[in-house]
Amino acid sequence: MAKDNLTAVLYGVEDLRLEQRPIPTPKDDEVLLDMDSVGICGSDVHYLVKGRCGDFVVQKPMVIGHEASGVVSKVGANVKHLKAGDRVAIEPGYGCRVCDFCKAGRYNLCEEMIFCATPPYDGNLTRYYTHPADFCYKLPPHVTMEEGALLEPLSVGVHACRRAGVGLGSQVLILGAGPIGLVTLITAKSMGAGKIVVTDLLQNRLDVAKELGADGTLVVEVGANEQEVVKKVHDLFDGAPDKTIDCSGAEATSRLSILATRSGGCAVLVGMGASEVKLPLANALAREVDIRGVFRYCNDYPAALSLVASGKIDVKRLITHHFNIEETSEAFNTSRHGLGGAIKVMIHVQPKDKNNAK
């Protein structure tokens, strides 16, 4: 095994460094992974730019990255379902397994949750990384390592659509056409949504949404009149959506998710913005609009993998840029500023000759 374990470590705001770290040894229930592909998430950028994401604050050096895939290099003594050489997608968060939330299958709510690149826990933008084997999912031969890494954001879309109750004929409004909005779009389509409209500030993002199957799009300018936006949305639906999924997290979109949704419908909040915002709760109560939160995902990786493996969803279109781990700073700069129409920026961890067989 190579001794090179180049690792991307965030020391604080605007302070992302590459350094060598020891290659870890897997515990009995873990696997050592030869990391392959790691996507840059909006939360990674938040940590770099602001030193925090929501209520999670970087207080000590932290390895960045959580959208990832790798190849099993070693297995712990108790691992039976994986072996060296298996290609896997990595679900980055796992709970304590014994609390009420974990036992009920809602481990994303576990108070002892360990999640990659969420303070105080390290992520996996590193050449070698250990992870619990039961949160590693073996990839079929025809599923690429890049697709494996994209199961992480796709699982957010799956969870959001499940929380919204998207089904056959659903009228779905998606607020925000960033990576999470786009995976929510393709998930909603796979679940049988009848009509999907996507809004965003940027036309180029909406162009991608259109390519991915959005039935309608709407550019919403900053400071736009709220009631006028609601009317435009309703005009596009020839009515009102029964499901609205806010993938932005801005106060304006959180408000719109309530105001634009049909009475008796459901507004799902995915994007994590400010800790406190002003919402039209009286409007929601009077019209019985359900407001549901989304925090990551749970039990959604198998469904996400099935959607990709079956060909029902093509996530490869979301990848716009590729970098090697040595180019991590350039990769983050591309992602944070949307350079070259960046949607999903992928970092390849192993040397170039290993990237020929994705």
Side-chain angles (χ1 to χ4, degrees), residues 103-214:
K103 289 180 178 179
R106 301 190 71 182
Y107 56 86
N108 61 323
L109 303 180
C110 174
E111 293 183 0
E112 303 299 322
M113 166 67 72
I114 295 174
F115 197 93
C116 290
T118 297
Y121 304 108
D122 284 332
N124 49 30
L125 183 46
T126 178
R127 295 214 200 275
Y128 294 96
Y129 167 76
T130 55
H131 199 73
D134 57 327
F135 279 80
C136 294
Y137 298 85
K138 187 175 179 179
L139 298 175
H142 66 284
V143 175
T144 69
M145 298 299 280
E146 292 171 350
E147 289 174 308
L150 288 179
L151 293 188
E152 199 281 337
L154 180 58
S155 292
V156 177
V158 171
H159 195 61
C161 287
R162 284 174 163 174
R163 290 283 286 162
V166 174
L168 294 175
S170 293
Q171 305 288 295
V172 182
L173 171 64
I174 297 174
L175 305 175
I180 296 301
L182 295 176
V183 294
T184 300
L185 161 64
I186 58 180
T187 301
K189 285 188 67 66
S190 74
M191 289 182 169
K195 187 170 187 175
I196 305 173
V197 171
V198 182
T199 72
D200 199 88
L201 299 172
L202 303 175
Q203 183 61 54
N204 66 301
R205 287 186 169 190
L206 293 177
D207 291 340
V208 176
K210 197 72 174 178
E211 292 175 18
L212 293 174

Side-chain angles (χ1 to χ4, degrees), residues 26-32 74-80:
K27 298 175 183 177
D28 287 349
D29 295 314
E30 295 181 336
V31 291
L32 175 64
K74 287 184 179 179
V75 299
N78 297 335
V79 178
K80 306 300 181 185

Side-chain angles (χ1 to χ4, degrees), residues 261-328:
T261 302
R262 188 182 68 186
S263 297
C266 183
V268 173
L269 307 182
V270 181
M272 187 176 290
S275 296
E276 296 185 11
V277 296
K278 184 178 179 180
L279 297 176
L281 289 181
N283 180 285
L285 296 176
R287 300 190 300 111
E288 292 195 349
V289 174
D290 291 347
I291 303 173
R292 297 180 181 177
V294 162
F295 187 56
R296 300 170 178 153
Y297 37 75
C298 61
N299 304 304
D300 297 302
Y301 254 68
L305 177 54
S306 177
L307 287 169
V308 172
S310 67
K312 291 182 179 179
I313 279 182
D314 180 10
V315 291
K316 295 189 296 294
R317 171 64 182 85
L318 301 179
I319 305 173
T320 54
H321 293 74
H322 301 266
F323 294 91
N324 292 314
I325 189 172
E326 294 87 353
E327 303 167 312
T328 293

Side-chain angles (χ1 to χ4, degrees), residues 56-108:
F56 298 101
V57 182
V58 177
Q59 296 180 330
K60 65 182 183 67
M62 177 184 76
V63 179
I64 203 75
H66 64 271
E67 300 180 359
S69 64
V71 179
V72 176
S73 179
K74 287 184 179 179
V75 299
N78 297 335
V79 178
K80 306 300 181 185
H81 71 290
L82 293 173
K83 65 182 185 304
D86 284 344
R87 302 158 59 254
V88 298
I90 304 163
E91 181 172 352
Y94 52 96
C96 70
R97 298 176 172 81
V98 296
C99 70
D100 289 343
F101 290 117
C102 286
K103 289 180 178 179
R106 301 190 71 182
Y107 56 86
N108 61 323

